[in-house]
Structure formats: C-alpha cells, structure tokens
Amino acid sequence: MSPFVYLDYAGVALFAATGALAASRKQLDLIGFLFFAVITGTGGGTVRDIVLGRVPVFWVLNPTYILICCAAGVIVFFTAHLVESRYRLLIWLDAVGLSAYCAMGAAKGLAATGSPTIAIVTGTLTATFGGVLRDLLANEPSVLLRPEIYITAALVGAAIFTGATEFGLPLYAASAAGVLAAFAVRGGALYYGWTFPTYKAKPGRHPDDVM
Amino acid sequence: MSPFVYLDYAGVALFAATGALAASRKQLDLIGFLFFAVITGTGGGTVRDIVLGRVPVFWVLNPTYILICCAAGVIVFFTAHLVESRYRLLIWLDAVGLSAYCAMGAAKGLAATGSPTIAIVTGTLTATFGGVLRDLLANEPSVLLRPEIYITAALVGAAIFTGATEFGLPLYAASAAGVLAAFAVRGGALYYGWTFPTYKAKPGRHPDDVM
Amino acid sequence: MSPFVYLDYAGVALFAATGALAASRKQLDLIGFLFFAVITGTGGGTVRDIVLGRVPVFWVLNPTYILICCAAGVIVFFTAHLVESRYRLLIWLDAVGLSAYCAMGAAKGLAATGSPTIAIVTGTLTATFGGVLRDLLANEPSVLLRPEIYITAALVGAAIFTGATEFGLPLYAASAAGVLAAFAVRGGALYYGWTFPTYKAKPGRHPDDVM
C-alpha cells in the first residue's frame, strides 16, 4: 500500500474524532457521535472527489474509511468526558487532520488534472471542508471565522506539496514537507495566536451594514 | 413500475412538504415555498446519487420529482395557515419521509455497490440530509441536535432493510420491514420522548469549551 | 469564444466579489477573502455541474475561473474599506451576478437534458446557491429569508431564457432577455422593496411552533 493511504486514513480518523467531539459538546447519543464522525471525517474528501469527477467517492469504493470513522466516534464517545477541554482537543486534532489532508487533497488534484492551481484549490478545500461541515451541522461558530490563521495553513501546505512535486521531489518528501509546513503554520497560529493584518473597518460601521 | 418508485415519490413528497412548512414558518412567498420544497424533497436523494456516482441525479433524469415537490409546495402554501402547529406537522411528516427514504437509500446503495456497510450509510444519509439542508437554509435549530432519537431511526431502518435483503427476503418485504422499523423508532421517540443515555458532561464546563 | 463564456466569467466574478465583501464584513485576512471569493463565485455552478453529471466541474477543467475569483478577492481586499456600505454593494453585485447566472445555468441545463423543467431548476439553483453558501459560511442572515423578492427573480430569468430558446430565439437574444428580466425583478425588489403577498400567520402562533 502506498504511504498516501495511511496519510488518508490518518486525516479521516483525526477529522472524525473532531466531529465526535462536536457531538460530545452537543450531548448527542452514540449514533450522533458516529454520524458526526462519518460526516466530518469523510466530508472534505467527498467534496474533493466529486468536483474532480472521481465518483463513486473514495469511501463508497473502500468502506474501510467508514469503519475508521466509526471507531474514532466510539473511542471519543467513551473518553470525551475525561478530557479537560473538548474544544481545545478538537481544535488541535483539527490542526493535525488539516495538515494531513491538505497534502493528500493536493496530491489527488494534481494526479487527476496535472494543474498546480487545481491541486492547491483541492488541497485547501479538502483540508477545510470537513471542519466547515462539522461546524455548520453542529451549529458551532465556524472555525473559518476565528481570528487565528486557518485557511492559510491549508493553502501553504497544499502549495508547498505542489511546488515540491513540480520541482521533482519524490512523493514521500513532498508530502512530508507539505504536512509539516501546514502544521507549523496552524500550530503556531493556535499556540501564539498568530493573525494576519486586516483592515479593521468595524462591521456595521454604516447603518446599511447591519440592515 | 417498481414499488420503489412509489416509495421514492412518497419520500420526496413528504420531505418537500416539510420544506414548505419551514418556508411557511419563515413567512416566505409562494416561490420560496417551492424552492424549499424542491431542495428538501430532493436533497437527500441528490447527495446519495452523487456519492454513488449515479449522475445525472434522479430528478434530472426524471423531472416528475420536481413537479411532485412543487405540488407539495403549492398545497402547503394554501393550507399551512389552517394547521394548528406547523412545527408538529413538519416533524411528523419528516418522520414518515425519513422512514420511506432510509429503505430507499439503502436499496440504491446496495444495488450500486453490493456493500452492506455502504447501503446502511447511504440509507442513513439519504433519510437525514434533506432535513439537514432544510434546517440549515431556513436557519432553524437542526433536527439532528434535538434530544429525541432521530439519526438512529434512519440507521435502524436502513440496517433492517439491508439485513433482510441479505437474508434473502424479497424487496417488498425487506422494504416494509425497514420502513416500519424506522417509523416505530422515530414515532416512538417523538410520542414518548425517547432518548438514549448520554454522558451528561455540561457543555462549557471547561472555560475553553466556550472559547 | 462563445458569448456564454463572458456571461459565465461575469457571473463568477460578481459572486466572487460578494463573497469577498462578506469576508470583509467578518474582518478576515487576505486568504479568507480569496476562500470566500472562490466558494461564492464557483459554488452555484459547481452544484449545477454535479447534478447534471458534468464532472470534473467547470473550474477543474478551466482554472481561469479560480484566477478570476482570486482577482476579485484581491480587488475587494484593497478597496472594501473605502465603500460606504459593504452590505448594500454586496446585495447589488449579488443581483447582477444572479441575473447573469440564471440564464447561464438554464442554458447548461437545457443543453445537457433538453428538458425545460430541468433548465428552469438548474438556472434558479445556479443563481441562488453561491449566495446561499456565502451566507451559510459567513454566518450571515440568509438572503433567501429576506422579505424582498429574490428566488423569484432567478426563476423568472431562467424561465424567460428557456421559453425564448424554445420559441426559437437565438442564444444571444434569449440570454439578454433572461438576464434583463431577472435584473428588472431583483433590482426593482431591492429599490422599491417589492414583496409578494404571504399568509401572515405569525411564526410561533402555536406554542409548538417555537418548541
């Protein structure tokens, strides 16, 4: 088996665990944990496969992914109440999953189209969409809208993977570079509170902006 | 025509009616009723078809489904204000639609892949996704996050349909078993307030959990 | 190149700009602007292509669309703080984008299926879904739920394009008629506050309606 399969399994399992942690915060039952684990674990890759025209999607072709999500959901169900802060754990697991998935998504986009632009887009999309779905379905504030750097980490990882591959690095090395770069950016953003400068126009400054 | 077509029409019409009831609660105009009826009625089946690689999706191949949704939307538009509680009606129609759709979705997943795991996943997904889309678009509290058993009902119906089919029951019998089982679980949950035990760790127990 | 390509580029660029304006209202960083620009600009067309079975979707086949979205995102990033009301600009750009996209979406639906019903549905879906995604991801009140006529404008434009094409008008003329009709309806609704009559049953009239 290719090392990509393990990277994929790891990304799926980590995102599945964040989905189950969201279910825990919402006090859902075991089946709710499994549902959120499956949706969050497979969501990003499902969107990636669909836009690339790779259907049936990966988990339909290989149901092992569903079982991995369910296993992650069961583990979180029996342990989440022991964790001091479920949200902090969720956000860090999400960071690792995002790092694995941005390289994975870029690799599949590059393999399917040969276009670096598309590889970067599918890498970023794959890495962020599971979390977006999780937050939407759980009615949690979206991780996209938090101030610390998030989407940028996925973009950096996808771009570094793509660039390294285009420069002829072997897949192992390009993947490692992409995953580590994404985690360095997202982990640093979480740990040090890194943000980018923005134009601090106040929302609602003009009355129509709150209409 | 196969009995499945009627089961499908029934599931679509019932979910369409719940979408129109959501439009009624939001005081939308007739076109808003039709839009919510179409999205809710076809949403679950659309996601099912896409992940299975069955594209163009069912309502593109057979526009009758769109007309059924529009008919349901028009009927609800002219009658919803007569109903004592639109939300109670919505939630019960949703229960019947969910029961029809979990067997239907499992049947299509099984036919497309032969995998019982995938059949159960597509059955559960098909039965729940229309309601998820409806609640997201209407900005209503998600039916997923309510305490009474919901996803479990779809899972039970899909699993019983799949198991019965694997054990050699004819499609009629397996469908009837799946639909009735799902409705027994969801109807009981609604009527008696059935819930599953959960770990009642309070959300926000740790300060980071509300960060 | 066909005139449709320019109509498509225009619709994508305008919706991308509304996504970037939503990012501005949320005070996101540059990458956040690009993400919202890409998702909003391509969202409606992506859903259209997927349900029609046209995968890989349009922007995977032609990455120019991604670059157009990014350009719109960059322009908005450096100018949004100069605009008096970002929400008013967003809502008017959305109106123009909706007008371009309803004709475009109907044209692709008609070309793919030959069914006028499907053409009207894909036209309406394409024109509204980018805005729906933008509002969901940005946690803004959905443009669907605002009182002024919105979905109807997309439906009218898609129906007039489809009808004109069925009556044998050339594509140029049918497109112009659809775009102008949609903009007349939506622009009028915004400018004059047009609404349709609705049954004004109060939401929450029955206690269960707020349960």
Side-chain angles (χ1 to χ4, degrees), chain A residues 199-211, chain C residues 21 24-25 27 79-87:
Chain A
Y199 290 102
K200 287 286 180 197
K202 284 219 296 282
R205 181 187 43 158
H206 183 278
D208 289 333
D209 263 350
V210 288
M211 87 178 185
Chain C
L21 283 164
S24 171
R25 285 163 52 83
Q27 305 196 17
T79 59
H81 61 293
L82 305 173
V83 174
E84 204 188 346
S85 163
R86 287 166 291 171
Y87 192 72

Side-chain angles (χ1 to χ4, degrees), chain B residues 29-41:
Chain B
D29 56 38
L30 176 59
I31 303 299
F33 277 63
L34 300 186
F35 185 86
F36 272 85
V38 169
I39 298 277
T40 310

Side-chain angles (χ1 to χ4, degrees), chain B residues 70-92:
Chain B
C70 290
V74 169
I75 291 169
V76 170
F77 183 73
F78 286 111
T79 58
H81 61 294
L82 305 173
V83 174
E84 203 188 345
S85 163
R86 287 167 290 170
Y87 192 71
R88 182 153 288 180
L89 180 60
L90 182 159
I91 218 83
W92 278 95

Side-chain angles (χ1 to χ4, degrees), chain A residues 26 67 71 89 127 139 141-142 164 166 168 170-171 179 182 211:
Chain A
K26 296 294 166 176
L67 303 178
L89 180 60
N139 197 25
S142 174
E166 295 287 298
L171 280 180
V179 172
M211 87 178 185

Side-chain angles (χ1 to χ4, degrees), chain A residues 3-37:
Chain A
F4 272 123
V5 175
Y6 295 109
L7 200 57
D8 213 11
Y9 284 165
V12 165
L14 288 159
F15 274 122
T18 71
L21 284 164
S24 171
R25 284 163 53 83
K26 296 294 166 176
Q27 305 196 17
L28 301 186
D29 56 40
L30 176 60
I31 303 299
F33 277 63
L34 300 187
F35 185 86
F36 272 85

